[in-house]
Amino acid sequence: MDDVIIAILRSATPLVYVTLAGVIAQRAGIWHLGLEGLMIAGACATILGTVLTGSIFSALLIAMVICIVASILFWFVVEKLKANQIIAGLGLTGLGLGGTTLAVESIFGSQAAVTAPSGLPRLGAMFGAYGTLSILVLLMPLFVFAVWVLLCRTRFGLRLSAAGEHPFAARSVGVNPGRMRLIALMIGGVLCALGGAELASGSLQFFSQNMTAGRGFMAFAAVIFGAGHPIGATFAALFFAIVGAIGIRAQLVFGERVPHDLLLALPYLATVFGIWLSARLRGGVKAVTGFGELRDS
Amino acid sequence: MSEEKQIVLECRDVSVRYGDVVALSGVSISFARGRIHAVVGQNGAGKTTFARAISGLVSPDTGEIRIDGRALPSGNVNQARQAGVELVHQSFALPPSFTVAEAMQFGAADGRIYSRRGLEKRWQTYLDSLNVNVKAGQRIRDLPVETLQSVEIARALVSDARLLILDEPTAVLSPEGAQKLFERIRHLKDVGVTVIVILHKIREVLAIADTVAVLRGGMLVEGPVECSGINAEKLAELIIGPAARPLEEDQKAALTGSLDTAHAHLAQSVDQAAVEPVLKLTAVSTRPDSDGPPLEDIDLVIRPGEILGLAGVEGNGQRTLVRAISALAETSEGKITIEGLDVTRASLQTRRAAGLRVIPFERNVEGLSLTSALWENWSARELLKRPLLSMVRPSELRQRCGTALDAWEVHYSNVTQHAGSLSGGNAQKVILSREMDEQARLIIAAQPTRGLDIGATAFVWDSLNRARARGCAILLISSDLDEIMDICDRVVVMLSGRVVGTFTPPYDLADIGAAMTGVSK
Amino acid sequence: MTESIVSVFRALIFIVIALALCGLIFSVAGYSAPDMFRAIIDGAFLRTGALQQALRWGLPLFITAAGVVISFRAGYFNIGAQGQFYIGAICAAFAADWLNGLPAFIVIPACFLAGMTGGALWAMWPGILRLRSGADEVITTLMGNFLAVIVLIYVTSGPLKDPSGSGQQASSRPLDAAYRISTSYGVSPTIIAIAVLVGIFMWLLVNRTAFGVLSGLAGRNATMVTWQGARLWNIGLASFIISGALAGLAGTVELMGPNGRLASGFLPAHGFTAILIALVANLSIVGTAIVALFFGGLASAALYLPVIAGLPSSAIDIINAAIALFITAKSNIVDRFLRNWRKRVWTT
């Protein structure tokens, strides 16, 4: 039983970090389809950073800086150049996926997976069987709590929500919605870096092309499924992670009798189900005008 | 010296441009401390821009604004709020998903972490002290319009405002609600707050204000002058200005809301009993949905050549009624007929074919596609009569659109320009040219003159009258009681999804107002 | 100057900006940015056979992009072109397999029918979820892409597996030569004819039918169109079906044309590139044709990036992504610059 829980935690933690990033962006009025690109950038930077500098902490720092810079670029394109968030987000993801492939090729000369000599610090022997989990797993609930407090129990969180939901109200109390979005995206960048780091470095320590496999989009779906609320979205992410872990588990248990590809498909099917269910329960996308455009007043 | 101390707000040569449009031009004005000042003007005169400029929300292109003698850095809301200036917006600046407590908090000065219960307790005390009857835990989107306004005012007073600006606060209120608001304003004056109220109607100015200033075409044409001893007619003249379109006396009175509380409306002769009604609702109820209160047991009849006015505070079912007639809300009980044809289960297309036309509430969201071309907007109704794959000739549609728009005196350069480039009045005319065609039999006009200047407003009234003369039946929904009393043959009042009163001319503003708030006489 | 010319210029400016960003990225990674530009210009435009290569890639892209235009114009962000492209190819491959042995004049149309139907169905399920329940089509169509990749893997290593295959990529048996509609060069009268027909029909649909005008209105303000009495269900479903069918058609063309077999993970960037084309062309059919040719050239240039600049061929994905990042920008800075040509531009 323990190893099932460990598998679920390993699978869920990266997803939850990125989901939190998505929640913060959503509050500010941004549909962030660039999460996938940021996540893989974080993963790649962590592994390459560890290989090149020898220190996981320097690597984490590099990953966070890269993700923050990418987030600022995204903000600039969407806020100042008024690009469509959805397409720009997909572009950001594409840059992340392509850029990481390029980085690996240019440094190592091939597209094969890169292994790092060390990874994230583990919890250690005193946690028993769970000692093999990284500290980011332990920190995950703390981050969820911190994001919840920030968004739902501070004036900053209220102002962020106003910036996204009713920018005019925000401006009428002196809040600059554009600056709020910048802050939201930068915080999100850090979280995505952590999520990517956990994915690449949390158990095994390697980076391979496209290893995120759509997790960034699942995180986005979790945000919608969870109605943009940090706790709800976290549970949605956990749900997706559990489905994914079940898939892998069933593979091991049932082996030949369950088609491998069906199990691969489970997380994506779960995501579709989640989106459909949340639309049924809460009334989904109404007729929209200017979909994908940021509202400024 | 003491003169200076008496002036709380001074504007010197303030101008604001939005692109090519001049909203304010060279406005120089000063307001005395501790008094209630009214600023009046028609729609488009620049009142809201003025309010936003002096509260820091909009940055003037030229000129200077001084609060208590100190210059205000332009376009900075935070500085303005620190100087004690607060603006209460016309359409409230309250995020719908927030609770009342949250709406208070997000403008407050302290940014500490709070607990939900603590927050609500703290703000409940504050709200009670202001006599606002609401629970701090209620969500903004669930509140009725009049409560919303009290909450909005409470929000503005959070930070110890010394100068409070109210932008058209009476637009959404019933006459009684307006009275309550005026009491609140007088109370504020008693505790030393200076109040600037943007108003529309002369009657309101005389009820509450100490001084009045008139804006027209972005310029200050008079004031501030003392209200005592003012000539209401002269004031009306200043507001209207040299109108391009000659106005009748009662139109002028309706536009400016002058003295007479009882309108002697001369109804067109409509022979009541004999004629088959165009619209008949019998015991109509609707299912509850997210867009407003459901209808309950509505009976309604409109005959050819009749304008029926629907009065009531916003949010009491008027929208639901329009949507029910337009097949956008589901009728759960009762029957709707158009010219005898039962359309209760029929689609909007069928109802339109039977002669239904709708001028919707929200011009820019429900009536037009702002980023689409004029000809596309105009042709929509016609194209929907054909099968989806039928061939069309855009050049022919463009030509016919041009002819129609010219006939309705729309100012445009090209039918391919997008609808958002037109002024409010012209955009509304485009909608009229589309909806008020020869085959129209039943026209629903929902807030058709909201936000329009005097010329456009008079134009809309004339068009409605012409349609009536042609034998159309018209349902006019408006929160402007002067408008309703001026052109309607009958008036019904809605409250909480029911019809609670029917009135025939001569109308009494007080009676209609009482019905709107549920006070029976 | 008309609005469409202004939007072409705006698109060009942002493409240049995107290329500049890529140049920067490649320089930082140690490659030569000037070489990158040289590779693109040489590979796309200057060398012999460039036009033919551009057509080989551009024709199928145009077909898919035309479908994207229909969908986006109607206001539905169907970004599942890649998945619909794959499913179309898979269905066509199955049809060819089942009907193997029958004469070509039966099999080829049957394959096209199967391909278009498959693509249409793969777009229809997210469409129905959106139209009936309001489920956001961005996520569902995106998930559809991932699912289609899995289906492709399954099919090429299972039911349609090539028994003699031994390479790194799982693939199906090659199609019988009689059923091919072009050689591996990819440009043939058949394919050109298909693309031209698609172009004509879609142009007529957008510019000369009631559907065209109404879906354009619905895409910009669905509320308004509802208040006029439109049935969004009809317009919406038609949009999803048409866009899916066209993507499936493109997949069929690729299968029966230059590819000749169904290979796992083939043309992984086709859908995204088609979406990009539709956006660069500002959702006009004529523009789409021109831009598709341009991106076709870019795709063929991708083969030259390793040769001339030493860049991995995946660098083309980075270039596409950078273009996507900037292309929908409606920057006031750029617009004010363009206003020198005395043109009115949109404000939001």
Side-chain angles (χ1 to χ4, degrees), chain C residues 218-273:
Chain C
R220 291 168 185 269
N221 191 342
T223 312
M224 173 258 187
V225 159
T226 312
W227 278 78
Q228 286 296 307
R231 288 266 182 62
L232 282 183
W233 176 264
N234 292 348
I235 295 179
L237 200 60
S239 308
F240 276 100
I241 289 178
I242 294 175
S243 54
L246 286 178
L249 176 61
T252 310
V253 164
E254 281 283 351
L255 170 72
M256 302 180 72
N259 271 284
R261 68 169 77 218
L262 201 62
S264 167
F266 78 108
L267 258 60
H270 175 93
F272 185 69
T273 311

Side-chain angles (χ1 to χ4, degrees), chain B residues 23-36:
Chain B
L24 283 182
S25 168
V27 173
S28 297
I29 192 171
S30 53
F31 294 99
R33 184 189 311 282
R35 312 190 73 198
I36 302 174

Side-chain angles (χ1 to χ4, degrees), chain C residues 138-279:
Chain C
V138 171
I139 296 288
T140 48
T141 53
L142 205 52
M143 291 297 122
N145 290 347
F146 286 104
L147 288 169
V149 168
I150 294 176
V151 172
L152 183 61
I153 294 175
Y154 169 69
V155 162
T156 53
S157 32
L160 289 182
K161 185 178 163 75
D162 183 356
S164 64
S166 59
Q168 318 120 315
Q169 248 184 349
S171 82
S172 71
R173 260 189 294 270
L175 282 177
D176 198 302
Y179 302 147
R180 297 283 297 277
I181 58 174
S182 86
T183 64
S184 58
Y185 282 116
V187 185
S188 70
T190 315
I191 297 185
I192 295 180
I194 294 174
V196 168
L197 280 177
V198 166
I200 293 177
F201 275 116
M202 288 307 114
W203 186 88
L204 284 175
L205 185 66
V206 167
N207 293 295
R208 289 290 182 271
T209 62
F211 173 85
V213 180
L214 290 172
S215 66
L217 279 172
R220 291 168 185 269
N221 191 342
T223 312
M224 173 258 187
V225 159
T226 312
W227 278 78
Q228 286 296 307
R231 288 266 182 62
L232 282 183
W233 176 264
N234 292 348
I235 295 179
L237 200 60
S239 308
F240 276 100
I241 289 178
I242 294 175
S243 54
L246 286 178
L249 176 61
T252 310
V253 164
E254 281 283 351
L255 170 72
M256 302 180 72
N259 271 284
R261 68 169 77 218
L262 201 62
S264 167
F266 78 108
L267 258 60
H270 175 93
F272 185 69
T273 311
I275 292 172
L276 214 48
I277 290 171
L279 289 170

Side-chain angles (χ1 to χ4, degrees), chain A residues 153 155 158-159 165 169 172-174, chain B residues 78 89 96-97 106 108-109 114:
Chain A
R153 291 289 183 269
R155 190 186 59 170
L158 288 177
R159 293 185 159 185
E165 179 183 344
S172 72
V173 297
Chain B
N78 283 320
H89 305 275
S97 74
F106 97 110
Y114 55 82

Side-chain angles (χ1 to χ4, degrees), chain A residues 30-31 38-39 51 62 132 135 154 169 177 180 193 198 216 223 235 241 245 249 251 273 285 288:
Chain A
I30 299 177
W31 287 56
L38 291 173
M39 190 184 191
V51 168
I62 295 174
T132 51
I135 51 166
T154 64
M180 281 284 135
E198 169 63 23
V223 172
F235 276 113
R249 185 90 188 148
Q251 256 256 283
F273 172 73
V285 181
V288 279

